[in-house]
């Protein structure tokens, strides 16, 4: 019987049943605390399967303590919290999720787009101050219908964003590293363009790419200066993909430039401690709706079971 250890204490019942129903002994960390590096090493020595979240960092030096096959399942789409050496190890198989929270993130992205363009955040703030009226809104609301939406990235979340954008009759252009892998988007009337062209042409820009060495600082200060001062910029990907400080500086210089961010705020507390009428920030919660969490748990459990069976079949052949 294989043994699994889940660091996340809130794994739902359906996911637990999938794991235990496939002859896997499951132990769940009931403390809610993230294990230290030494504790992780002990867990990996004892257990065949480790289930983690994005707050658990797996550093390459841990690998020297792993001398038998392990499955590491992460409750995330992104994998940047796991050092690349784990993916090269003969003993480790990494399993993540692909689809469970794509709808939730896409809905959050459009929530930011609409809240900014319809001046909802600003209006609510003025109402709380007792100063809300048509005259006090610094700029009239905008329609997003027929606007050009620039999509940076062409993965599963982007495909959900496209579904919603169609409802608003938006024009869409896309920049992606490998357009040939996403020719299905051509059927949606989407044109592939270079990044600079997208930044210059788009009325609304959405970033949906994983954090890699190649995408780190993809939207640099120089790239930000290409964007229309009347555009809306949305990023629900990792904050390191965008020069956040330069982005907010651009927003501070152009009150017609709108920014919606769903990012880890640990490194930006001071930057966002003041109110801005053209900026909305949420603490990296787009993908953790109630429904998304349940779907993530179940998808990961199924993927772990599948991976375990694949490994077992290879060993028996």
């Amino acid at each position: 019987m294989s043994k699994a250890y889940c660091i996340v204490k809130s794994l739902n019942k359906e996911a637990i049943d999938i794991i235990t129903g496939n002859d896997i002994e499951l132990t769940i960390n009931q403390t809610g605390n993230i294990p230290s590096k030494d504790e992780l090493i002990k867990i990996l020595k004892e257990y065949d399967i480790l289930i983690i979240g994005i707050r658990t960092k797996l550093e390459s030096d841990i690998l020297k303590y792993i001398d038998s096959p392990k499955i590491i399942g992460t409750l995330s789409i992104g994998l940047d919290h796991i050092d690349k050496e784990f993916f090269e190890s003969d003993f480790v198989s990494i399993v993540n999720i692909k689809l469970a929270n794509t709808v939730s993130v896409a809905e959050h992205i459009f929530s930011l787009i609409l809240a900014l363009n319809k001046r909802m955040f600003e209006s609510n703030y003025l109402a709380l101050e007792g100063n809300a009226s048509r005259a006090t809104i610094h700029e009239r609301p905008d329609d997003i219908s027929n606007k050009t939406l620039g999509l940076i990235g062409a993965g599963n979340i982007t495909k959900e964003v496209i579904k919603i954008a169609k409802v608003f009759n938006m024009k869409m252009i896309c920049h992606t590293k490998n357009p040939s892998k996403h020719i299905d988007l051509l059927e949606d009337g989407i044109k592939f363009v270079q990044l600079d062209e997208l930044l210059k042409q788009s009325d609304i820009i959405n970033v949906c790419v994983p954090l890699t060495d190649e995408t780190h600082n993809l939207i640099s200060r120089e790239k930000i200066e290409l964007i229309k001062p009347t555009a809306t910029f949305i990023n629900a990907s990792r904050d390191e993909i965008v020069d956040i400080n330069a982005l907010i500086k651009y927003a501070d210089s152009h009150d017609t430039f709108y920014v919606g961010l769903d990012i880890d705020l640990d490194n930006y507390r001071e930057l966002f401690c003041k109110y801005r009428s053209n900026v909305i920030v949420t603490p990296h919660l787009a993908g953790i709706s109630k429904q998304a969490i349940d779907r993530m748990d179940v998808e990961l459990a199924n993927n772990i079971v599948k991976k375990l069976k694949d490994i077992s079949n290879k060993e028996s052949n």
Side-chain angles (χ1 to χ4, degrees):
M1 176 180 283
S2 297
K3 294 173 63 179
Y5 186 91
C6 180
I7 289 173
V8 182
K9 71 174 182 177
S10 58
L11 202 67
N12 79 8
K13 185 179 184 304
E14 184 178 354
I16 292 171
D17 289 344
I18 290 169
I19 293 170
T20 57
N22 281 275
D23 202 30
I24 301 171
E25 180 185 324
L26 177 63
T27 301
I28 296 177
N29 172 24
Q30 296 294 341
T31 69
N33 298 326
I34 298 175
S36 65
K37 184 182 291 187
D38 288 342
E39 289 169 334
L40 279 173
I41 291 168
K42 290 179 181 178
I43 292 168
L44 283 166
K45 285 182 175 180
E46 181 179 353
Y47 292 87
D48 310 295
I49 301 164
L50 175 65
I51 300 172
I52 65 173
I54 60 170
R55 292 170 59 210
T56 300
K57 309 298 182 184
L58 293 183
E59 299 174 356
S60 59
D61 58 341
I62 293 175
L63 281 168
K64 63 186 176 185
Y65 300 98
I66 298 176
D67 55 8
S68 61
K70 306 292 179 183
I71 295 174
I72 296 175
T74 176
L75 286 160
S76 64
I77 296 175
L79 297 166
D80 51 284
H81 55 299
I82 303 174
D83 280 358
K84 63 181 180 180
E85 288 81 3
F86 278 85
F87 300 89
E88 301 163 355
S89 169
D90 293 333
F91 289 120
V92 178
S93 298
I94 305 293
V95 177
N96 66 333
I97 60 166
K98 303 289 186 183
L99 301 171
N101 64 358
T102 54
V103 170
S104 304
V105 176
E107 287 184 2
H108 194 91
I109 286 165
F110 262 89
S111 296
L112 291 172
I113 291 171
L114 288 167
L116 288 162
N117 281 270
K118 296 304 180 181
R119 317 293 184 248
M120 291 181 179
F121 180 62
E122 180 186 4
S123 298
N124 184 64
Y125 180 82
L126 291 171
L128 293 172
E129 285 194 324
N131 192 32
S133 72
R134 292 181 180 181
T136 55
I137 300 295
H138 89 278
E139 188 183 24
R140 288 188 180 186
D142 267 326
D143 292 339
I144 67 170
S145 181
N146 292 306
K147 292 285 179 69
T148 296
L149 173 61
L151 302 162
I152 300 174
N156 292 319
I157 294 173
T158 292
K159 290 175 181 177
E160 292 297 331
V161 168
I162 289 168
K163 292 177 185 178
I164 302 173
K166 283 182 175 181
V167 175
F168 290 97
N169 197 32
M170 302 184 81
K171 304 165 188 174
M172 287 177 271
I173 55 179
C174 179
H175 170 74
T176 183
K177 179 183 176 182
N178 297 304
S180 60
K181 292 183 178 180
H182 304 283
I183 56 174
D184 56 314
L185 298 188
L186 297 175
E187 298 175 6
D188 291 313
I190 295 168
K191 178 184 176 184
F192 291 109
V193 298
Q194 294 300 312
L195 179 58
D196 286 4
E197 184 181 351
L198 181 146
L199 295 173
K200 291 175 182 177
Q201 289 187 11
S202 300
D203 301 304
I204 299 169
I205 297 165
N206 181 60
V207 180
C208 267
V209 294
L211 177 62
T212 64
D213 291 342
E214 194 170 3
T215 62
H216 187 274
N217 201 37
L218 177 68
I219 310 301
S220 62
R221 177 181 59 79
E222 292 78 13
K223 297 296 185 186
I224 290 165
E225 290 174 355
L226 299 175
I227 303 173
K228 295 178 183 179
T230 56
T232 299
F233 185 94
I234 307 294
N235 180 36
S237 300
R238 296 287 191 265
D239 56 283
E240 296 96 331
I241 294 166
V242 180
D243 186 332
I244 300 296
N245 288 290
L247 186 73
I248 298 306
K249 184 176 180 180
Y250 194 69
D252 286 343
S253 300
H254 304 88
D255 67 357
T256 58
F257 178 67
Y258 293 86
V259 174
L261 300 173
D262 181 62
I263 59 172
D264 186 341
L265 293 174
D266 287 346
N267 297 322
Y268 305 101
R269 299 289 177 183
E270 188 173 343
L271 181 63
F272 294 114
C273 67
K274 75 171 188 176
Y275 165 77
R276 294 174 173 89
S277 63
N278 57 338
V279 176
I280 298 177
V281 185
T282 55
H284 204 45
L285 50 75
I288 57 166
S289 69
K290 298 172 185 177
Q291 295 81 5
I293 291 297
D294 286 341
R295 292 192 298 264
M296 288 167 66
D297 289 354
V298 171
E299 182 178 338
L300 187 66
N302 281 319
N303 289 345
I304 287 171
V305 169
K306 182 178 183 302
K307 177 61 69 174
L308 189 62
K309 289 178 179 178
D310 289 344
I311 292 172
S312 177
N313 289 335
K314 284 182 182 179
E315 290 175 348
S316 60
N317 288 333

